[in-house]
Amino acid sequence: DARVTQTPRHKVTEMGQEVTMRCQPILGHNTVFWYRQTMMQGLELLAYFRNRAPLDDSGMPKDRFSAEMPDATLATLKIQPSEPRDSAVYFCASGLEQGGTPSERTEAFFGQGTRLTVV
Amino acid sequence: KQEVTQIPAALSVPEGENLVLNCSFTDSAIYNLQWFRQDPGKGLTSLLLIQSSQREQTSGRLNASLDKSSGRSTLYIAASQPGDSATYLCAVSGQNFVFGPGTRLSVLP
């Protein structure tokens, strides 16, 4: 059963603490997206990786957020230090771009999300 | 910069009605368009993917159309059921993957 796996599913932390969210893309997929969803802003793209290289992280606050792919089976999103305004659901998605380039057949598959609450 | 809008923001219909959800995008240079369903507190489930060279896709009671030149897509749901109640989001794939704000659908028994 191929699916994107995100851990943890829920996280409550105190302001100022470091938060690490993990994503295991579908095996064989070469693109990974991180999104943040809030009631006010909807789904916002934070970072986009292809073949483990970051292509677009313009939506990510650079001073406190960082996204990496240590290997092809793991993507991480870190917030340090966390703030109450970071409270949201963070989604990871993966897809397969044939030949390393986007195509009309590239479909994105989403994980169940990490619900982060910063108090 | 790609912008995606969805109309209506919310819709409430009695069971059995056919309905149409609309999605508009500003940049027609897209690879494809996906429709997703999101249940409260859950992740996003892909419903249909329409490639940029296609005009429509069908899956069961769902039919999605794409008019790339005018920047529009519609999701048609036939014979709606209470189990269809959810938020429906469209997303376009171009330089990156941009979502619309969603349409919250309620199908009343």
Side-chain angles (χ1 to χ4, degrees):
Chain A
D1 182 24
R3 57 180 172 174
V4 177
T5 303
Q6 290 186 246
T7 56
R9 292 292 311 279
H10 302 273
K11 176 73 176 179
V12 180
T13 191
E14 292 185 347
M15 182 174 62
Q17 296 297 305
E18 177 178 300
V19 175
T20 298
M21 290 169 272
R22 293 177 173 80
C23 169
Q24 182 176 355
I26 292 174
L27 189 64
H29 281 188
N30 59 358
T31 59
V32 170
F33 303 86
W34 281 104
Y35 284 89
R36 174 171 61 185
Q37 187 176 40
T38 61
M39 289 292 291
M40 294 298 294
Q41 300 296 329
L43 277 157
E44 302 173 280
L45 178 67
L46 296 176
Y48 168 26
F49 289 80
R50 181 191 299 146
N51 296 326
R52 297 175 55 200
L55 293 185
D56 183 358
D57 60 1
S58 58
M60 196 165 64
K62 301 292 192 304
D63 56 339
R64 298 182 301 107
F65 285 61
S66 62
E68 296 179 343
M69 284 200 72
D71 60 59
T73 64
L74 177 64
T76 62
L77 180 66
K78 291 185 181 181
I79 308 175
Q80 169 63 19
S82 57
E83 298 180 1
R85 60 178 167 152
D86 301 329
S87 297
V89 181
Y90 291 81
F91 286 104
C92 172
S94 72
L96 176 61
E97 293 182 350
Q98 302 278 3
T101 58
S103 80
E104 56 180 17
R105 286 186 296 276
T106 301
E107 184 174 2
F109 296 86
F110 278 73
Q112 291 299 298
T114 293
R115 183 175 296 275
L116 174 65
T117 303
V118 183
V119 298
Chain B
K1 178 185 173 184
Q2 179 76 271
E3 293 184 3
V4 182
T5 56
Q6 291 186 245
I7 294 174
L11 181 63
S12 185
V13 300
E15 181 177 5
E17 275 204 5
N18 303 325
L19 55 98
V20 175
L21 308 181
N22 298 288
C23 172
S24 297
F25 47 96
T26 55
D27 185 350
S28 62
I30 65 170
Y31 294 104
N32 61 47
L33 184 146
Q34 269 185 266
W35 282 94
F36 292 87
R37 168 185 174 139
Q38 185 175 31
D39 294 286
K42 304 293 186 182
L44 282 74
T45 301
S46 181
L47 297 173
L48 289 164
L49 179 144
I50 312 177
Q51 300 175 19
S52 61
S53 58
Q54 297 175 327
R55 297 286 291 183
E56 65 178 78
Q57 278 286 342
T58 298
S59 176
R61 294 182 294 107
L62 305 179
N63 176 277
S65 67
L66 175 64
D67 184 343
K68 201 173 73 162
S69 61
S70 67
R72 294 180 182 176
S73 175
T74 61
L75 179 67
Y76 175 83
I77 302 177
S80 58
Q81 303 171 356
D84 295 330
S85 299
T87 296
Y88 291 81
L89 300 111
C90 66
V92 295
S93 173
Q95 287 193 323
N96 49 39
F97 202 59
V98 181
F99 277 86
T103 293
R104 185 178 303 170
L105 172 65
S106 296
V107 181
L108 307 175

